[in-house]
Amino acid sequence: MQQQTDDMEGSMESPNLEFEYGDTDSFTAELSELYSYTEEPEFSLNRDYFEEDFKNHVKGRRWMELSMEEQRAYVMRLLDALEVTDRDKRLKVARAILYLAQGVFDECDTETDVLYWSRHNVFLLYDMGIFTALLELLSMEIDNNQACSSAVRKPAISLADSTELRVLLSIMYLMVETIRVEMEGDSPERKAAREAFKTELGSPLYNGEPFALLLFTMVTKFCSMNAPHFPMKKVLLLLWKTILFTLGGFEELQEMKVRMRELLNLPPLPEDSIKVVRNMRAASPPASAMELIEQQQQQKRGRRSRRPLVKQDSLDTYNERDPFKNDDARDEEDDPEDVDSGIEGEVDPLDRDVIIQPPPPPPPLRPPTERVSFPKGLPWAPKVSDIDTLVGLPRPIHESVKTLKQHKYVSIAEVQIKREEELQQCPMTMGEEEVEETPAEILYLGMLPSLSQYVIALLKLLLAAAPTSKAKTDSINILADVLPEEMPITVLQSMKLGIDVNRHKEIIVKAISALLLLLLKHFKLNHIYQFEYVAQHLVFANCIPLILKFFNQNIMSYISAKNSICALDYPHCVVHEMPELTAESLEAGDSNQFCWRNLFSCINLLRILNKITKWKHSRTMMLVVFKSAPILKRALKVKQAMMQLYVLKLLKIQTKYLGRQWRKSNMKTMSAIYQKVRHRLNDDWAYGNDIDARPWDFQAEECALRECIEKFNTRRYDKNQNTEFTPVDNCLQSVLGQRVDLPEDFHYSYEMWLEREVFSQPIQWEGLLQAQ
C-alpha cells in the first residue's frame, strides 16, 4: 500500500512539461532519427568506399583541402559513375555520396564540424544535379520486380534486403531536410537553391507528378504486401519532410490564412492561435479513482489535510479565484433520483472527479472599445456564428447584438462552400472557375485517383506501430529495416534491439501523425471540400477508434519513454569513441523528463481527431459510442498546456451527450473547459441535453456531405464529363464555316457521292413536317 501511495503522490506532483510544440524537433534530433541503431556499422562502410575511391583520384589530400572547383569536379565524376549497369558498383558510388552528405565525419573533430560539412556538401550535391539522378535510381528500385518477388518469398526479411533503397532514401532525406531548414548566415545562392528545390519538389516534374506521389506509391505497394522489403520508416520520414517543405509548416499556414482572408475581404483573425496556445499554462489533472479512494480513507481516519487535493498552479494570469482549488473537498452522495436518462452507464463511477463548487459566473461583458478585447482571464477571443436569432430574448439582451456583431466570425470554409453552391447552381453565368496552381492543389490533383488507398495504407502503418497493438501474424511487418541479419545472442544485444524496435515504431507514429495533420490543414485552407474528402476517408477507414485505441494506454509512460541510446545517435556516434554499452547505460536513456517525439505525436493525433470530428454530429456521437471520455480524461494527466487544450476540446463537443450526472461528477473538467477552450457565445455545450439522436440521421449527414464532395470533384477535376451544360454551337454560319478535314481522294468521288446520297433520294416532305 505504501508503494501505491508513493506512486499516487508522484502522479499528483507531476511537474509541468517544458515542451515547445513546432513543426519538427531540433535539426540534429531529426537527422539522428533517420538511422536505426542496427545501421550504425554502415557509417564506417560508407567512409571506406568513399576513401577508397577518393584516394585513387585525389592523391594525398583530404576533402576539406580541395577547392570548390575540385570538389565539383569530383562530384561530377561520382555522378557519371552512378550510370554504370553493375549493381554492386552503383551501390559503392551511392555510399560514397552518402558519406559526403553525412559530413565527411572522419575529417571532423566535433559534431558542429560534421553538421557544417554536411550542409556544405548537400548544397553542392544539389547544385550538381545529384537529386535527379538518385530519383531515377529510386524509380528503378521501386520497379525491381525481382527484388520484390524475392522479398515476398523470404520467411524473414532483414536490413540486408533493403540496402540499396536505404542508401538512396538516406541521401534524399539528408538533402531535403538540410536544404529545407534555413540557417542564419545562409548566402543568397543558398536561399535561391532552397526556393528552386522547393518549387521542383512541389511541381509535377517527375513523370507528371510531384515527388510526394512517388513516395505515396511506395507506401501503398508496401501495405499491399507486394514489396515487404521497402524501408518504411525512411519512406515516411522523407514523405513527411517533402510535404512540410513544399506546402509549408504551421507558421506558413497561419500567414497563408491571413493572406487568404484579405483576398476574400474577410476581417482579420482576432489572434494568432499558435501564440495563444504557447502562452497557456497547464492545469493540474483531474484526480484518478485511486487518488479519490485514498483521500476518502484519510478523511475517515481523521487525518484531514488542509492542503488542496492536488498541487495546483494558478490557471489564471489575472489572479482571479481559481475554480480548481478545493480547500474543503466534500464527499457528496449521488442522489439516485437525480440521475439523468442520458448515457451514464457508459462511464465508470470510479472514473469521476471530486465534485467541487462551480466557479462564480464571470462578470458581464461590456461592449469592447476596440476590435479585439478579451474577456478577463480567458485566453481566446469569443466567436459567434449566428447574429440573427433573437426570438424570445428579453429586450435588454438585444443591446448585446452590437457586441455579438463585433465577434462575428466568418471562416474561409464558409465562403468556399457558398462559392461552390453558386458554381453548381449557375454554371453558365458563373463561367469557368480559375483554380490557382498552388503546391497543395497540385498534390491533391495527383492524390485524387488513389486517395483512399493512401489513407488506408497510412492508417495500417499507424496501427502496426501503435504501442497498444498486439503482434499478429497477418499484420504488416514494419520492422524490415531495423532487424539485423543475425538475431541477437546476448542479453545486452537483445536489450539494444528492443530499444531500437520501440524507437523505430515511435518514429513511424511521429511521421504519420505529422503528415496527416499537415495534409488536413493545407487541404482545408486550399478548399474545404478537399479537406472533407480526406477527412471522410479517414473516418471510413476507422481513424477515430484507432486514435482512441492509441490513447487507451498508460499515456504518461508513453510520454516519458526512454527508447534512445544517446551514444549511438548521429552525429554523436561518428565523432566520439563508442563507450562500452552496459545494461545500466541502456536502461538509463536520456535525462529529459519526457520524450519529445512521443509528446509531439500525441498532440498531432489529438489535433487530427479534433479536425475530423469538429462540427460533425455523427462523428461526435462516435466519440460517445466508443466511450472516449474516460480515455481522454486520463490523457489530462499529462501536464502540458497544448495537449490538455485539444483533449478538453474533444471533451467539450461531447459533453451534452454524456448527460447531467457526468457533468455533475466532472465539475473540475468542466471548469477547465470553460477556462481553456474558446467560447462560442451561443453554444449550449455546458447545459444542453441531446438524447433523441437517431442513428439514421448520422448516415444522412455523411451521405449529404459525400454528395457535396463528389459534385465538387466532378465539377473541378472531371474534364471528360458529358453534362447537359456542355456548350453547343447553334450559329449556322459558324457551323458551316468550320474547317473539316477530308480524305485526299474525296474530291474524285464527291460528284458520285452527291448523286447517290442526295439527288437520287426522294425527299419525304410529309415526314419532315411530322417530325417538326
Side-chain angles (χ1 to χ4, degrees):
M1 189 65 192
Q2 182 61 41
Q3 178 64 43
Q4 201 172 33
T5 306
D6 291 344
D7 291 345
M8 185 181 65
E9 286 293 322
S11 69
M12 288 162 61
E13 301 291 338
S14 59
N16 286 311
L17 303 183
E18 297 298 324
F19 169 83
E20 187 168 328
Y21 183 78
D23 294 314
T24 62
D25 201 348
S26 67
F27 182 58
T28 51
E30 294 295 336
L31 293 186
S32 71
E33 288 180 355
L34 175 64
Y35 311 103
S36 300
Y37 295 145
T38 43
E39 288 182 278
E40 193 265 333
E42 296 189 21
F43 285 113
S44 55
L45 202 60
N46 300 337
R47 177 196 61 205
D48 294 344
Y49 283 133
F50 171 82
E51 290 184 347
E52 179 188 332
D53 185 79
F54 189 70
K55 284 173 183 173
N56 289 337
H57 293 87
V58 184
K59 305 290 185 184
R61 296 170 72 189
R62 303 166 76 197
W63 173 259
M64 294 181 182
E65 296 169 356
L66 300 185
S67 67
M68 194 67 178
E69 286 307 311
E70 289 172 320
Q71 289 178 348
R72 291 173 70 88
Y74 181 73
V75 171
M76 182 60 76
R77 210 203 63 74
L78 290 177
L79 190 57
D80 291 339
L82 276 181
E83 303 285 330
V84 297
T85 53
D86 187 286
R87 191 178 169 85
D88 291 335
K89 287 181 180 176
R90 250 196 345 254
L91 178 60
K92 287 183 178 181
V93 175
R95 282 198 179 280
I97 294 171
L98 178 55
Y99 177 68
L100 283 174
Q102 288 170 339
V104 289
F105 48 79
D106 204 47
E107 301 180 24
C108 300
D109 297 322
T110 65
E111 294 176 37
T112 308
D113 290 344
V114 174
L115 295 174
Y116 171 83
W117 280 103
S118 170
R119 190 170 181 79
H120 169 86
N121 294 342
V122 160
F123 276 97
L124 173 62
L125 292 172
Y126 172 69
D127 192 38
M128 299 301 292
I130 287 283
F131 193 86
T132 309
L134 295 172
L135 191 68
E136 291 176 11
L137 292 177
L138 182 63
S139 300
M140 282 170 52
E141 287 296 329
I142 293 169
D143 297 332
N144 187 342
N145 293 324
Q146 185 182 348
C148 291
S149 57
S150 170
V152 168
R153 288 195 303 271
K154 277 193 173 184
I157 302 172
S158 70
L159 212 60
D161 296 293
S162 59
T163 304
E164 288 86 357
L165 281 166
R166 284 187 296 105
V167 171
L168 294 174
L169 290 166
S170 293
I171 303 169
M172 295 170 104
Y173 178 87
L174 287 171
M175 292 182 74
V176 169
E177 179 64 0
T178 303
I179 296 175
R180 180 189 72 81
V181 176
E182 195 167 349
M183 295 281 188
E184 268 188 65
D186 273 351
S187 64
E189 291 80 16
R190 287 191 176 179
K191 290 178 180 176
R194 176 177 299 109
E195 288 306 312
F197 194 30
K198 179 178 178 178
T199 305
E200 184 183 321
L201 287 173
S203 303
L205 299 177
Y206 309 106
N207 299 323
E209 294 176 333
F211 175 57
L213 264 292
L214 181 69
L215 300 173
F216 270 120
T217 305
M218 291 186 76
V219 172
T220 51
K221 197 170 181 181
F222 175 84
C223 287
S224 62
M225 305 292 190
N226 292 325
H229 65 299
F230 282 3
M232 258 312 102
K233 184 189 83 173
K234 283 181 166 55
V235 173
L236 291 166
L237 283 173
L238 181 53
L239 177 56
W240 165 37
K241 293 303 173 64
T242 302
I243 299 288
L244 179 59
F245 189 18
T246 54
L247 270 58
F250 300 134
E251 290 189 3
E252 289 98 325
L253 268 163
Q254 187 75 5
E255 290 168 9
M256 289 158 65
K257 199 172 182 180
V258 169
R259 285 199 302 271
M260 188 170 282
R261 289 186 71 84
E262 285 177 3
L263 287 172
L264 297 173
N265 295 318
L266 293 173
L269 292 166
E271 73 271 297
D272 184 333
S273 301
I274 297 173
K275 290 177 181 174
V276 173
V277 175
R278 280 179 181 165
N279 290 330
M280 291 175 76
R281 298 180 61 194
S284 291
S288 68
M290 280 304 302
E291 289 166 355
L292 292 177
I293 291 168
E294 177 66 17
Q295 189 214 18
Q296 289 171 7
Q297 288 175 347
Q298 284 185 1
Q299 287 178 353
K300 286 174 184 175
R301 288 195 296 265
R303 290 188 285 120
R304 187 169 177 174
S305 172
R306 292 299 301 168
R307 70 176 183 82
L309 174 64
V310 284
K311 188 178 179 181
Q312 224 22 228
D313 296 324
S314 172
L315 294 168
D316 219 317
T317 55
Y318 296 96
N319 297 319
E320 291 181 342
R321 179 181 178 273
D322 186 352
F324 280 40
K325 290 196 174 173
N326 182 21
D327 291 331
D328 190 13
R330 293 175 291 119
D331 289 323
E332 293 185 9
E333 293 291 328
D334 290 333
D335 183 358
E337 295 178 3
D338 195 29
V339 175
D340 196 15
S341 58
I343 315 175
E344 311 305 335
E346 296 178 2
V347 183
D348 187 343
L350 287 177
D351 196 20
R352 291 178 181 159
D353 289 329
V354 121
I355 299 168
I356 64 170
Q357 293 289 75
L365 299 177
R366 291 190 295 276
T369 54
E370 298 179 13
R371 168 75 186 85
V372 181
S373 178
F374 300 148
K376 189 178 180 185
L378 299 177
W380 303 98
K383 286 180 179 175
V384 173
S385 304
D386 173 17
I387 56 169
D388 301 318
T389 310
L390 302 174
V391 178
L393 292 176
R395 186 165 181 174
I397 300 297
H398 285 235
E399 297 172 8
S400 67
V401 172
K402 182 181 177 183
T403 305
L404 290 178
K405 284 183 177 178
Q406 284 181 308
H407 291 290
K408 172 77 167 114
Y409 177 75
V410 179
S411 67
I412 293 170
E414 289 174 71
V415 177
Q416 290 171 339
I417 289 170
K418 188 177 179 184
R419 166 80 174 165
E420 183 61 26
E421 286 173 356
E422 292 169 352
L423 285 165
Q424 296 284 356
Q425 289 169 1
C426 313
M428 302 296 286
T429 54
M430 296 293 288
E432 188 80 14
E433 181 191 20
E434 289 186 16
V435 181
E436 187 183 352
E437 291 287 301
T438 61
E441 182 66 31
I442 295 167
L443 181 64
Y444 181 80
L445 182 58
M447 291 178 69
L448 189 57
S450 307
L451 196 138
S452 63
Q453 294 174 35
Y454 300 148
V455 168
I456 290 168
L458 288 173
L459 291 184
K460 276 185 178 180
L461 291 167
L462 184 61
L463 177 62
T468 49
S469 296
K470 301 291 183 287
K472 293 179 183 175
T473 52
D474 60 340
S475 64
I476 301 173
N477 177 19
I478 55 170
L479 305 178
D481 51 331
V482 70
L483 296 176
E485 281 186 272
E486 297 178 4
M487 293 306 285
I489 52 174
T490 67
V491 174
L492 200 64
Q493 288 173 341
S494 298
M495 286 178 67
K496 178 184 165 188
L497 183 59
I499 291 171
D500 207 3
V501 166
N502 289 337
R503 174 177 177 267
H504 184 82
K505 289 181 176 179
E506 290 172 2
I507 294 167
I508 288 176
V509 172
K510 172 186 174 182
I512 294 173
S513 64
L515 170 63
L516 285 173
L517 181 60
L518 274 177
L519 287 176
L520 287 172
K521 287 185 78 67
H522 276 285
F523 287 154
K524 187 173 184 183
L525 190 59
N526 200 54
H527 199 288
I528 183 63
Y529 283 135
Q530 294 177 348
F531 160 81
E532 295 290 8
Y533 193 44
V534 178
Q536 199 164 62
H537 276 300
L538 284 168
V539 173
F540 291 164
N542 284 329
C543 183
I544 293 174
L546 170 55
I547 294 178
L548 292 175
K549 180 180 180 179
F550 181 91
F551 280 97
N552 195 18
Q553 59 170 311
N554 186 335
I555 206 70
M556 280 303 297
S557 296
Y558 186 72
I559 295 291
S560 56
K562 304 288 185 188
N563 290 312
S564 58
I565 307 169
C566 299
L568 297 180
D569 282 338
Y570 170 88
H572 182 279
C573 65
V574 294
V575 289
H576 295 96
E577 286 292 323
M578 191 61 59
E580 186 179 349
L581 295 176
T582 62
E584 290 75 23
S585 64
L586 289 179
E587 286 176 344
D590 56 35
S591 58
N592 294 329
Q593 62 178 146
F594 62 91
C595 174
W596 196 97
R597 66 173 162 265
N598 289 355
L599 189 46
F600 176 72
S601 299
C602 288
I603 292 174
N604 288 340
L605 290 171
L606 288 168
R607 295 184 76 183
I608 292 166
L609 197 53
N610 265 292
K611 286 212 164 296
I612 61 179
T613 53
K614 192 177 179 182
W615 308 122
K616 301 287 189 301
H617 184 218
S618 57
R619 299 174 193 175
T620 303
M621 288 309 296
M622 287 178 76
L623 291 176
V624 177
V625 169
F626 289 126
K627 301 182 181 178
S628 66
I631 295 171
L632 293 168
K633 268 184 61 188
R634 283 198 296 274
L636 287 174
K637 293 242 170 245
V638 180
K639 288 186 70 175
Q640 203 284 322
M642 193 169 194
M643 182 162 167
Q644 286 185 346
L645 172 68
Y646 289 109
V647 171
L648 293 170
K649 280 187 171 191
L650 287 164
L651 286 169
K652 177 185 176 181
I653 61 174
Q654 58 179 308
T655 297
K656 65 179 177 182
Y657 304 110
L658 296 174
R660 186 153 50 97
Q661 187 60 37
W662 187 91
R663 295 197 293 271
K664 179 183 171 187
S665 304
N666 290 276
M667 284 308 300
K668 190 173 180 182
T669 304
M670 297 287 285
S671 298
I673 292 171
Y674 173 78
Q675 288 219 332
K676 290 190 172 295
V677 182
R678 187 196 303 279
H679 288 264
R680 303 272 169 176
L681 296 185
N682 45 3
D683 186 9
D684 63 346
W685 71 273
Y687 55 84
N689 279 313
D690 194 339
I691 57 172
D692 299 323
R694 298 284 182 265
W696 49 86
D697 292 342
F698 311 158
Q699 290 184 359
E701 185 184 349
E702 292 292 351
C703 287
L705 178 60
R706 184 66 174 266
E707 188 181 355
C708 292
I709 294 167
E710 286 178 351
K711 283 181 179 177
F712 164 77
N713 283 333
T714 303
R715 181 192 63 75
R716 190 185 270 201
Y717 303 111
D718 188 359
K719 299 304 178 188
N720 301 319
Q721 55 184 324
N722 185 19
T723 67
E724 56 186 310
F725 300 116
T726 305
V728 177
D729 191 349
N730 294 319
C731 177
L732 186 65
Q733 188 175 4
S734 171
V735 172
L736 293 177
Q738 286 179 2
R739 182 176 181 81
V740 180
D741 292 327
L742 299 168
E744 291 180 6
D745 59 346
F746 180 75
H747 64 280
Y748 295 117
S749 56
Y750 174 65
E751 291 182 1
M752 192 189 304
W753 176 85
L754 203 61
E755 182 66 37
R756 185 180 71 243
E757 299 293 336
V758 181
F759 299 147
S760 63
Q761 296 290 334
I763 299 174
Q764 302 290 338
W765 296 106
E766 294 84 357
L768 186 63
L769 289 170
Q770 287 173 2
Q772 290 292 328

